[in-house]
Amino acid sequence: MNMQEAKADIKNTIEIYLKKDEFGDYRIPLVRQRPIFLLGAPGIGKTAIVEQIAQELHLALVSYSMTHHTRQSALGLPFIRQKEFGGKATDVSEYTMSEIIAAVYETMEESGIQEGILFLDEINCVSETLAPAMLQFLQYKVFGRHRVPEGWVIVTAGNPPMYNKSVREFDIVTMDRLKVMEVEPDFQAFREYAWERNIHSAVLSFLELHQDFFYHMETTGKGKSYVTARGWEDLSQMIILYEENHLKVDESLVGQYLRNETIVREFCAYYDLYQKYKSDYQIQDILNGRNLTEAVQKAGQAPFDERLSLLGMLLKYVLHDMREAVQTSDYLQALLPGLRSLKSVQDVANRLEQLKQAREKMLKSGEAANNLSEADKLSGKRIIRFLTQAQKAALVSHDQEEAFTVVKAKFDEEVLAMKTHVNKTKEETEQLFAFVESAFGQGNEMLILVTELTANQSGARFIALFGCEAYQRNSDILLLSERQNHMQEKIRELNL
């Protein structure tokens, strides 16, 4: 299965494991909940999907890489305790609490969230001394004498032996107690994640053209050669920052993240072309509807890889603005209920302080639980900043009526700024569709544009919230065309 399928399967499993009966007991008791074991090549996103699931299900998350653990840190330190059996005193060996189990309890206490995911990475690469304890844990959910708390689902990950010499293959008895999911790298599953993570459009366009370069492992005369999804994501972030600082992106930089000489050369050659396209086509002019004649003519005559790169650049700008609009809308919607409560209070500044403290507590809880997305963190910080500034303004007001008016005016100002940004983004999107239609008609480029806006979370939400006539019109045309093609195929099948 690919990572998208694995994510859906894990999410469903966790929801079932956490389902309770009428008495509040888990339908499947902890001892019968098979730990999920993600088995797949390194760097394909196993950790990332577990983090996403914790965020989407609002569960706490505790993560550990088992290669960093010794037997003592996993089991706890041994100590001698005196006990009495049958009237005779006896020294008994016991263990302090495992660092891993202790981290679960600490997370529960700090976050206030009682259910979560315990994610143990590289479980089949543990040291020889830790291996027996690891097998016991997978079978019985205990480290030493300390059991994982109820309400915590165990998700594990590991690499097949071909990728890691340290791998210890589990016996059948252990494997028969795991819910095993074998996952494979898949570019199509990576694409949606990549857009939301703001992966550089040069990387995405290149991989669209060279999908066999997305994940690559081989042994050469010089040693291991590898390219992973993790490598592409990290390289993308570095390219973005290099461009911001006007630094040159060259083979030396790319080769630090992609460990394959052929793929490094191919990507660098493409990146140079990408920069040329960026210079040849004035992206902002296209999105503003300026000087289109030359750009339309040039794009219409361009080869497919150039068209794909251009489309990627245009989408990058539009989706960035869509994401910002959606995040701002979410932030203002989250802020609104608290501000409405200011109408009925006697002390506006004090109420703002209460709201700020509540939001700070919520943010701290989410950070302790490790289940906040970047968007959630940004929204929380923006709300706290607004409440802090509003409180300062309220404190210098002459009376409570003026304090409320000042805060409302500040909120209205942000709403107006959002509406202005939304209108600008809608105009950009309309111009994007007009350009693609003029340059390429209803061809593959239009299909790619509609598909990307549909599949992208920010794009789909923006269109649902604020509308887009060009998207609706072209998606209807493409749907009608698809139906006609289907009907023609059926007619041909019937020999009519």
Side-chain angles (χ1 to χ4, degrees):
M1 64 174 65
N2 63 38
M3 295 306 295
Q4 204 167 29
E5 293 166 337
K7 178 183 173 182
D9 202 341
I10 294 169
K11 195 172 179 180
N12 290 337
T13 300
I14 291 174
E15 289 182 314
I16 288 171
Y17 281 177
L18 296 181
K19 195 167 185 175
K20 296 179 179 179
D21 63 19
E22 59 185 305
F23 303 107
D25 298 322
Y26 291 102
R27 296 278 295 275
I28 303 177
L30 180 64
V31 71
R32 303 298 302 172
Q33 293 179 9
R34 290 192 175 204
I36 297 165
F37 181 30
L38 281 171
L39 183 62
I44 62 174
K46 297 188 291 292
T47 303
I49 64 167
V50 175
E51 291 172 349
Q52 292 167 27
I53 291 167
Q55 293 162 11
E56 292 169 14
L57 296 180
H58 305 291
L59 298 172
L61 174 65
V62 172
S63 298
Y64 272 98
S65 174
M66 294 310 297
T67 55
H68 301 158
H69 276 278
T70 63
R71 186 173 185 275
Q72 287 75 20
S73 63
L75 280 179
L77 294 172
F79 66 95
I80 303 300
R81 172 174 289 178
Q82 193 173 74
K83 290 189 175 182
E84 188 174 300
F85 298 103
K88 183 179 180 180
T90 305
D91 290 334
V92 177
S93 176
E94 293 194 7
Y95 287 88
T96 58
M97 181 173 282
S98 159
E99 177 187 323
I100 297 171
I101 303 297
V104 171
Y105 281 106
E106 286 171 358
T107 299
M108 291 166 66
E109 185 175 347
E110 291 174 11
S111 68
I113 299 174
Q114 302 303 305
E115 294 181 330
I117 301 170
L118 174 57
F119 177 61
L120 304 180
D121 199 6
E122 301 184 273
I123 61 162
N124 56 352
C125 297
V126 296
S127 64
E128 186 175 350
T129 56
L130 182 54
M134 191 73 243
L135 297 179
Q136 181 190 40
F137 174 77
L138 293 174
Q139 293 182 27
Y140 304 109
K141 288 83 173 177
V142 295
F143 275 127
R145 297 186 62 184
H146 302 283
R147 186 180 296 276
V148 174
E150 282 198 316
W152 280 74
V153 177
I154 301 166
V155 180
T156 66
N159 306 138
M162 69 184 77
Y163 297 110
N164 195 326
K165 293 179 181 178
S166 303
V167 164
R168 298 172 181 278
E169 293 196 62
F170 294 145
D171 56 38
I172 294 176
V173 174
T174 301
M175 291 295 285
D176 193 40
R177 286 174 167 82
L178 301 176
K179 183 177 169 68
V180 183
M181 299 182 188
E182 295 188 23
V183 288
E184 298 177 350
D186 180 77
F187 173 65
Q188 297 305 321
F190 174 77
R191 289 168 77 256
E192 182 179 347
Y193 167 82
W195 277 115
E196 287 304 309
R197 295 289 293 181
N198 198 31
I199 299 297
H200 198 288
S201 56
V203 170
L204 282 177
S205 299
F206 175 76
L207 290 175
E208 287 282 5
L209 295 167
H210 303 280
Q211 295 186 20
D212 53 326
F213 289 165
F214 170 62
Y215 196 93
H216 187 85
M217 288 273 180
E218 67 174 327
T219 302
T220 68
K222 296 181 180 180
K224 293 287 186 182
S225 170
Y226 56 90
V227 175
T228 69
R230 182 191 296 125
W232 284 115
E233 183 173 0
D234 292 345
L235 173 63
S236 165
Q237 184 62 38
M238 191 57 69
I239 291 175
I240 291 170
L241 294 174
Y242 260 55
E243 289 178 349
E244 286 180 8
N245 287 277
H246 307 290
L247 298 173
K248 182 176 175 57
V249 175
D250 55 18
E251 288 191 15
S252 175
L253 172 69
V254 176
Q256 294 164 24
Y257 296 88
L258 311 179
R259 304 297 296 160
N260 180 281
E261 292 180 358
T262 300
I263 296 176
V264 168
R265 285 196 301 270
E266 290 281 348
F267 176 75
C268 287
Y270 177 82
Y271 181 79
D272 290 341
L273 268 178
Y274 177 89
Q275 293 301 320
K276 180 181 181 299
Y277 301 151
K278 194 174 181 180
S279 175
D280 290 348
Y281 297 95
Q282 296 300 311
I283 302 300
Q284 208 57 59
D285 280 355
I286 291 175
L287 295 178
N288 290 333
R290 296 194 299 260
N291 307 320
L292 291 181
T293 304
E294 184 179 346
V296 166
Q297 185 177 4
K298 181 177 175 59
Q301 298 172 351
F304 183 69
D305 61 342
E306 185 172 331
R307 297 181 180 194
L308 194 63
S309 299
L310 173 60
L311 194 55
M313 285 186 275
L314 291 165
L315 272 166
K316 174 187 174 183
Y317 278 84
V318 170
L319 286 172
H320 176 273
D321 286 346
M322 285 182 168
R323 185 184 301 113
E324 187 176 324
V326 169
Q327 289 177 347
T328 302
S329 174
D330 290 344
Y331 144 67
L332 292 173
Q333 287 292 335
L335 186 60
L336 187 57
L339 297 186
R340 282 176 174 159
S341 70
L342 298 178
K343 283 185 177 181
S344 57
V345 300
Q346 299 298 317
D347 189 338
V348 171
N350 183 58
R351 176 58 179 157
L352 288 167
E353 176 64 23
Q354 292 173 353
L355 292 171
K356 184 177 75 170
Q357 288 181 5
R359 184 59 60 168
E360 287 173 339
K361 183 179 179 181
M362 188 183 302
L363 186 61
K364 185 178 179 181
S365 171
E367 288 175 340
N370 297 309
N371 67 359
L372 288 182
S373 66
E374 292 302 315
D376 290 335
K377 290 178 186 177
L378 177 62
S379 178
K381 289 176 180 178
R382 291 176 75 177
I383 290 172
I384 291 168
R385 181 178 64 188
F386 179 95
L387 295 172
T388 301
Q389 294 172 350
Q391 185 188 25
K392 289 179 181 178
L395 285 170
V396 297
S397 300
H398 294 95
D399 54 45
Q400 298 308 304
E401 184 177 346
E402 182 185 342
F404 176 78
T405 302
V406 168
V407 175
K408 183 178 183 301
K410 181 174 175 56
F411 180 78
D412 290 344
E413 184 181 333
E414 296 218 17
V415 171
L416 180 59
M418 183 199 72
K419 288 180 177 179
T420 302
H421 177 74
V422 166
N423 290 333
K424 170 180 168 290
T425 304
K426 289 177 72 173
E427 289 171 7
E428 288 177 346
T429 308
E430 294 287 338
Q431 290 296 339
L432 172 56
F433 273 99
F435 172 78
V436 171
E437 189 170 6
S438 299
F440 313 121
Q442 292 294 324
N444 288 331
E445 294 79 9
M446 182 63 77
L447 178 61
I448 291 170
L449 174 58
V450 171
T451 302
E452 291 294 351
L453 290 175
T454 303
N456 183 272
Q457 185 178 355
S458 296
R461 285 199 63 208
F462 180 90
I463 292 168
L465 285 170
F466 308 112
C468 177
E469 292 180 8
Y471 168 86
Q472 193 62 54
R473 182 175 64 254
N474 283 281
S475 61
D476 288 345
I477 292 171
L478 289 169
L479 183 60
L480 177 61
S481 175
E482 184 180 328
R483 286 175 178 168
Q484 288 174 338
N485 290 337
H486 180 68
M487 288 176 65
Q488 288 171 355
E489 286 178 10
K490 290 295 184 185
I491 291 171
R492 283 194 293 270
E493 289 174 7
L494 294 170
N495 293 319
L496 296 178

